[in-house]
Amino acid sequence: MTPIPVTIVTGFLGSGKTTLILNLIPQLPQTYKIALLKNEFGDVAIDSQLASSAAISGVQELLNGCICCNLVGQLGDALGTLRKDVAPDRIIIETSGSAFPATLAMEVNRLGRETGYYVLDGVVVVIDVENWKGYEDTSYTAKMQQKYTDLIVFNKWELVDERRYEDCLDRVGDLEIQVARVKSDKGRVDQSLLLGLDSALAKDGDPVHGGFSKDKKPHEHAADHQTEVEVLSVNLVSEGDTPKSVNLDSLETFLLSAPKDEVYRIKAIVSASHPLASSSGDLDESGRQEGIATYILNWAFGRWTFTYTSASLPPPVRVASSAADTGVSKRHETILRMTIVLARGEATKWKSRIEKGGMIEQEGEGGFLLVDRVV
């Protein structure tokens, strides 16, 4: 039995991991089956929905936790499901932005040794050159993602000047690691560079180049990396029997005003009466129908896309009306489900701001917000 190669793709929030994977798919033979295991913050599987529409044979999701610590015990079950249901030629694990790759590599190695079903092929880290300075200074995990990898992909370098890119190279050089590096072409890297890396993290013995002793887990050095970010879950719920839309003017104002040093990532599924232009001014009307439709919002460090999807928001539920004592029920329908990933210490402030209104609201009157901190 030939083990299934496993490629781990990691990188800080919004660095371009999903884009890298989506750009890999068209380079592979049509008969080559890729399965994706996706780990995301919150309960909105935005990237998984994008990936599932891109000729990926199967997608498994591990939500609302970190795949390298509190969800690591679920890794074997998730890989097993993909192996049995998809029989893939390769499995790609896309981590959350705060995952520590060495621990995850160790778990894949352990599962491979015990079952014979898997072999770690490589660990790829994606660096967002444009926003590198903002998170590299504050995130221990961002440094560890670069240090324990087989290939570094410099992404979004086209958006900065040469000096900014050179500064990023210098800071990576300060880590004193010998690892392959490549610049992406707007999120695309040739498949021959991404696959077949013969991972150094898969070797017997010390899995992280001598950085940790065998009696101490590498994740213990990550300084409780999940505390580096805080996460809000936002639901906008409408009331009534007719479909409702999110107020896109208010939503766009919110997206434009979110400071990059406080808000790292915004992902949402949105019910809207028309598409919202992306931050570049592009308007995606492909495949959409007239009237209210569903869109995927993907925002990172001031840039966003707004993409039509055939997927649906959670189904409507009927609850007793709070506005009358007649006992008549009204239909309540989710018209926005959003995950917001924030810098440490920002969740309370932004929860209060959103709850005050004016940022995320229904078109016209009505609707109510549910805002919860999940990390």
Side-chain angles (χ1 to χ4, degrees):
M1 177 185 63
T2 302
I4 302 169
V6 176
T7 299
I8 297 172
V9 179
T10 188
F12 202 63
L13 298 152
S15 59
K17 300 183 292 294
T18 300
T19 300
L20 182 77
I21 295 169
L22 296 181
N23 284 331
L24 169 66
I25 306 305
Q27 302 180 55
L28 302 173
Q30 290 186 353
T31 56
Y32 193 90
K33 292 195 289 186
I34 289 282
L36 176 67
L37 175 56
K38 183 76 176 71
N39 177 215
E40 299 197 59
F41 282 115
D43 57 358
V44 184
I46 298 299
D47 292 341
S48 297
Q49 296 210 33
L50 290 172
S52 64
S53 64
I56 289 178
S57 300
V59 178
Q60 279 284 302
E61 302 158 353
L62 294 177
L63 301 178
N64 212 5
C66 178
I67 196 172
C68 73
C69 46
N70 62 314
L71 294 182
V72 71
Q74 300 178 31
L75 180 62
D77 290 341
L79 291 177
T81 298
L82 291 173
R83 179 181 62 82
K84 295 172 185 175
D85 294 351
V86 180
D89 295 294
R90 177 177 299 272
I91 296 174
I92 296 177
I93 301 176
E94 182 184 348
T95 73
S96 72
S98 74
F100 190 46
T103 308
L104 184 56
M106 290 175 63
E107 182 65 6
V108 173
N109 287 336
R110 184 188 68 80
L111 292 169
R113 288 193 304 270
E114 292 181 359
T115 68
Y117 293 141
Y118 318 105
V119 59
L120 181 62
D121 181 56
V123 178
V124 178
V125 64
V126 184
I127 291 179
D128 174 2
V129 175
E130 182 187 20
N131 297 294
W132 162 261
K133 183 65 177 174
Y135 64 71
E136 191 271 345
D137 285 342
T138 59
S139 174
Y140 177 87
T141 303
K143 297 183 179 72
M144 292 301 99
Q145 287 171 340
Q146 300 135 38
K147 190 168 185 178
Y148 302 114
T149 186
D150 299 297
L151 175 68
I152 293 176
V153 175
F154 292 103
N155 200 29
K156 305 183 190 179
W157 61 271
E158 306 99 329
L159 304 176
V160 301
D161 57 32
E162 190 65 22
R163 175 62 182 274
R164 184 82 163 267
Y165 176 60
E166 292 294 335
D167 286 345
C168 184
L169 285 178
D170 289 343
R171 298 299 289 274
V172 171
D174 291 342
L175 297 174
E176 297 181 347
I177 54 174
Q178 298 297 320
V179 64
R181 307 172 186 178
V182 64
K183 294 163 75 172
S184 75
D185 180 6
K186 297 180 180 178
R188 183 188 185 278
V189 173
D190 190 271
Q191 61 93 10
S192 64
L193 299 176
L194 292 176
L195 308 181
L197 291 172
D198 188 26
S199 177
L201 295 177
K203 305 303 182 187
D204 292 334
D206 182 11
V208 284
H209 315 324
F212 302 107
S213 62
K214 290 186 178 180
D215 61 347
K216 196 163 190 178
K217 294 181 180 179
H219 194 66
E220 293 173 10
H221 292 250
D224 193 12
H225 66 134
Q226 287 199 93
T227 64
E228 293 179 351
V229 296
E230 297 176 353
V231 181
L232 294 178
S233 174
V234 181
N235 285 269
L236 178 59
V237 181
S238 69
E239 187 177 63
D241 294 325
T242 58
K244 302 295 195 303
S245 168
V246 171
N247 186 323
L248 293 183
D249 289 338
S250 298
L251 180 62
E252 184 175 26
T253 299
F254 168 52
L255 299 178
L256 289 168
S257 64
K260 294 192 292 184
D261 59 339
E262 296 181 11
V263 182
Y264 290 154
R265 197 75 192 269
I266 302 171
K267 302 179 182 183
I269 305 176
V270 181
S271 179
S273 56
H274 59 87
L276 174 69
S278 69
S279 55
S280 63
D282 297 332
L283 200 63
D284 180 14
E285 296 191 90
S286 58
R288 89 174 188 95
Q289 301 174 351
E290 291 299 321
I292 293 177
T294 306
Y295 298 86
I296 292 175
L297 168 66
N298 208 337
W299 182 102
F301 295 105
R303 288 190 170 85
W304 72 84
T305 57
F306 199 76
T307 309
Y308 170 78
T309 177
S310 58
S312 301
L313 279 152
V317 296
R318 289 190 176 273
V319 297
S321 173
S322 60
D325 296 324
T326 61
V328 177
S329 295
K330 292 185 178 180
R331 192 169 93 161
H332 289 71
E333 185 169 0
T334 304
I335 60 174
L336 175 143
R337 175 167 286 181
M338 176 181 287
T339 296
I340 306 174
V341 184
L342 301 133
R344 181 171 47 211
E346 298 292 339
T348 301
K349 177 178 70 177
W350 279 94
K351 183 176 186 294
S352 176
R353 286 182 178 179
I354 293 169
E355 288 175 334
K356 286 180 179 178
M359 291 184 173
I360 301 170
E361 56 190 9
Q362 180 179 300
E363 199 173 67
E365 296 183 354
F368 57 91
L369 279 169
L370 303 171
V371 186
D372 298 295
R373 178 175 173 179
V374 295
V375 175

